[in-house]
Amino acid sequence: MSAWLKGGRRCWKIFDMSLKDSYLLRDLDRTLAIAGFIIALILMLYLGREIGRMVYLLTAVLALISCLLWLEIRKSHTFEFHHKESRTLTAFWSICFFVLYSLSLLSVHFRPELYQRPTLYFILTALTTGTIACEILSSGRRHAGLILIQVVLLGMSIAWSQLLIFPSLLGVDPWYHSDLTTKIVNEGLIPRGYEYSKLPLFHLMIAATSLIAGLPYKLAVMVSVSLGQIICNALFVFLIAGHLFRNYWTGLLAALMVIIANHHIYMSYWSISNGFAAVFIPIALYLLFFKFGDSPRASFAVLYLVALAAIILTHTIAAMCMAMLLFVSWGALVIYRAYDHSGKDNRASLIRPVGFTVAMFAWWIFAASSNITSWFRLIEWGFSIDTFAETDEVRGYVAVIPLGEQLFNNLGMFLFFAFSFIGVFYMISRRGSGSSFAMAWVGMAPLAIGFISLISGLSLIEQRWWYFAQILLSIPLAVAIYIVGTWK
């Protein structure tokens, strides 16, 4: 046995040395950028022949451009970021923000159409977003709190201005959650027979807010779940990016990017359990990557377990995403340590992803059997898109939408994801760290699931995965903006 163990250690050392000396892994960002360029070309051919929708070709084209751009940037960029602080400019942009923000609210209040926000509102909101970006680039660290407040106010305006112009709820799913929450408030207990009877955290949060503040369901959702999503996602994306790159302006840019992401806006006014559960994902990742050192404090371990438990008790898709992200982060840290890091990293432990996955399935099987049954039924049906919609009918609707309108509706999201590739390449390069290496792959994982689901015809409810991806990829997107902005 001892000889076998010694032989195993010797083989691992040889494999470890081969990884460190590998030409492909020496500059992994360059290798993956070249591979991404080739894959993008193949995707262009596949999407053109098999899918036949020009708007999907745009994804491959933008990915190809990002790969080529990084290959050029990495050769000529100094990657020495110098931030010039100006109190005068910061004050100027801050005043501009509050003036434009006030005008945007007034434009909604005096709108000519009762159930439609005027075009002027969107123009003023775009200018408001630009003033925040300019303020970030001229601010000092002491202004970070003020800018975060402005980012939160912007998120509230974008989401709540759409909610408040209608007398009732928006969307289909919120009405189901409203019915269950109303029963909890009226009966004083969680009724049986609902799909969310054993996944009640979302509904209990709203019910408690409604009872304590005496608010109707819609307002209770706004001041609890919706506001919590905006604040927590902006704050913890800021904290993660700040720790990864050791500067505050990248974190502020990342917070701004996640707030204006289309699926984040969607989940901020279309309040459902899945959107609320995603709030705990960046919280858990922040605790895992930056609060678990050689001897983590018990308080951080408790908070980490609470965040994971909250995900399991809120929504199944978010729990599946969290389990996948934990395995991806573990694998990324193991690979990084093998070829570039000789020290021991206690975050690269298989106990955490396995433990969470076991707890997740245990809760589904023993306490929420209806959810695990639905999950196995979807596997049996092959995740066919017909499970959720009539394919021919959906394709018929898509066929009559003009190409220009499809591009207008999707270009923002495609640019968000494609441009973030530049930041991902930077994070996995030798200029990054083990944490940035792992976070890059963590952000790419839900994007890959959503994209594969889309082009393959399977139905994994890709919009939910894109929502997770936008939260996590806002960090490399902020890095990409700063890298391109300081290039040459």
Side-chain angles (χ1 to χ4, degrees):
M1 178 63 72
S2 60
W4 183 82
L5 290 175
K6 290 180 180 178
R9 294 192 189 99
R10 190 178 301 111
C11 291
W12 172 253
K13 288 181 180 179
I14 295 173
F15 177 70
D16 190 16
M17 291 299 296
S18 65
L19 282 177
K20 293 178 180 179
D21 297 334
S22 171
Y23 172 78
L24 295 178
L25 294 180
R26 190 178 304 124
D27 291 305
L28 185 60
D29 58 306
R30 179 182 59 189
T31 302
L32 292 180
I34 295 172
F37 174 78
I38 297 172
I39 293 172
L41 288 176
I42 297 173
L43 268 177
M44 290 172 64
L45 297 175
Y46 171 78
L47 294 174
R49 292 186 58 185
E50 301 296 331
I51 305 298
R53 287 185 60 188
M54 293 297 296
V55 69
Y56 289 169
L57 284 175
L58 183 61
T59 61
V61 172
L62 291 176
L64 184 146
I65 292 173
S66 294
C67 292
L68 290 177
L69 193 58
W70 172 253
L71 290 173
E72 184 62 29
I73 287 175
R74 70 183 305 276
K75 294 188 299 184
S76 55
H77 203 299
T78 61
F79 296 103
E80 296 178 358
F81 305 123
H82 302 287
H83 187 75
K84 295 182 179 180
E85 178 183 348
S86 173
R87 295 181 60 183
T88 303
L89 282 177
T90 302
F92 171 76
W93 291 121
S94 183
I95 293 171
C96 289
F97 166 82
F98 286 106
V99 170
L100 292 171
Y101 187 80
S102 301
L103 291 175
S104 68
L105 297 181
L106 289 173
S107 69
V108 175
H109 181 73
F110 295 106
R111 63 190 181 276
E113 299 291 337
L114 185 60
Y115 300 120
Q116 180 178 328
R117 291 176 293 182
T119 305
L120 179 61
Y121 170 79
F122 296 101
I123 296 174
L124 292 171
T125 300
L127 293 174
T128 303
T129 305
T131 60
I132 296 178
C134 293
E135 187 177 356
I136 290 171
L137 298 177
S138 62
S139 65
R141 181 175 292 275
R142 62 182 178 276
H143 302 119
L146 173 63
I147 297 175
L148 276 177
I149 292 174
Q150 294 175 13
V151 170
V152 171
L153 289 174
L154 177 65
M156 292 168 58
S157 171
I158 296 173
W160 292 4
S161 62
Q162 185 158 341
L163 271 173
L164 293 175
I165 63 176
F166 294 95
S168 58
L169 298 173
L170 296 181
V172 178
D173 293 353
W175 284 102
Y176 171 88
H177 295 293
S178 173
D179 178 57
L180 178 55
T181 305
T182 302
K183 289 184 180 297
I184 294 174
V185 172
N186 294 335
E187 299 175 8
L189 52 84
I190 302 173
R192 296 182 179 181
Y194 283 79
E195 293 182 359
Y196 288 93
S197 295
K198 298 299 176 64
L199 301 171
L201 189 59
F202 171 83
H203 309 88
L204 292 176
M205 177 73 70
I206 300 172
T209 304
S210 179
L211 289 172
I212 294 172
L215 297 173
Y217 178 82
K218 181 177 178 177
L219 293 180
V221 168
M222 290 171 59
V223 301
S224 60
V225 174
S226 179
L227 182 61
Q229 287 176 222
I230 294 170
I231 293 177
C232 290
N233 287 335
L235 177 61
F236 281 93
V237 163
F238 164 75
L239 292 174
I240 292 173
H243 279 80
L244 284 177
F245 307 107
R246 302 196 180 281
N247 61 66
Y248 62 92
W249 59 86
T250 304
L252 291 172
L253 276 176
L256 180 61
M257 292 301 104
V258 73
I259 286 299
I260 63 175
N262 64 323
H263 284 285
H264 190 275
I265 296 172
Y266 173 71
M267 287 292 183
S268 297
Y269 72 83
W270 187 300
S271 295
I272 57 177
S273 299
N274 195 179
F276 179 64
V279 169
F280 300 99
I281 293 178
I283 296 175
L285 292 175
Y286 170 73
L287 294 170
L288 174 64
F289 281 102
F290 306 111
K291 297 302 178 182
F292 280 82
D294 295 332
S295 56
R297 291 169 54 183
S299 58
F300 292 132
V302 171
L303 290 174
Y304 177 74
L305 293 176
V306 168
L308 296 183
I311 296 172
I312 294 175
L313 292 173
T314 305
H315 203 272
T316 52
I317 294 179
M320 289 168 53
C321 180
M322 189 70 232
M324 179 194 66
L325 296 182
L326 289 174
F327 277 106
V328 169
S329 63
W330 166 77
L333 288 170
V334 169
I335 293 172
Y336 182 84
R337 187 176 63 186
Y339 85 89
D340 196 56
H341 200 287
S342 58
K344 187 178 184 300
D345 191 339
N346 71 344
R347 295 167 302 176
S349 172
L350 196 56
I351 296 175
R352 293 188 179 93
V354 171
F356 176 80
T357 304
V358 170
M360 177 184 70
F361 277 107
W363 180 255
W364 289 0
I365 293 171
F366 294 109
S369 58
S370 62
N371 290 280
I372 197 70
T373 303
S374 300
W375 168 246
F376 285 130
R377 189 180 301 119
L378 283 178
I379 296 177
E380 182 182 355
W381 289 341
F383 287 100
S384 171
I385 196 170
D386 295 325
T387 303
F388 300 97
E390 292 293 335
T391 306
D392 294 335
E393 184 179 359
V394 171
R395 288 175 178 171
Y397 287 140
V398 171
V400 299
I401 300 176
L403 178 61
E405 186 173 340
Q406 293 184 51
L407 291 174
F408 179 79
N409 290 337
N410 294 285
L411 184 58
M413 183 180 70
F414 292 164
L415 283 172
F416 186 106
F417 290 138
F419 206 61
S420 66
F421 289 172
I422 297 174
V424 168
F425 291 137
Y426 175 81
M427 291 169 69
I428 65 176
S429 68
R430 291 192 176 274
R431 299 176 182 85
S433 62
S435 298
S436 68
F437 184 86
M439 280 299 302
W441 293 110
V442 163
M444 290 297 294
L447 174 61
I449 289 181
F451 185 71
I452 292 172
S453 169
L454 181 69
I455 66 173
S456 64
L458 302 176
S459 182
L460 297 177
I461 318 180
E462 56 270 4
Q463 291 83 3
R464 309 288 176 89
W465 295 94
W466 290 336
Y467 169 57
F468 301 141
Q470 285 184 336
I471 295 174
L472 300 171
L473 287 178
S474 61
I475 297 171
L477 177 61
V479 178
I481 292 173
Y482 207 86
I483 287 174
V484 175
T486 56
W487 187 29
K488 296 185 177 179

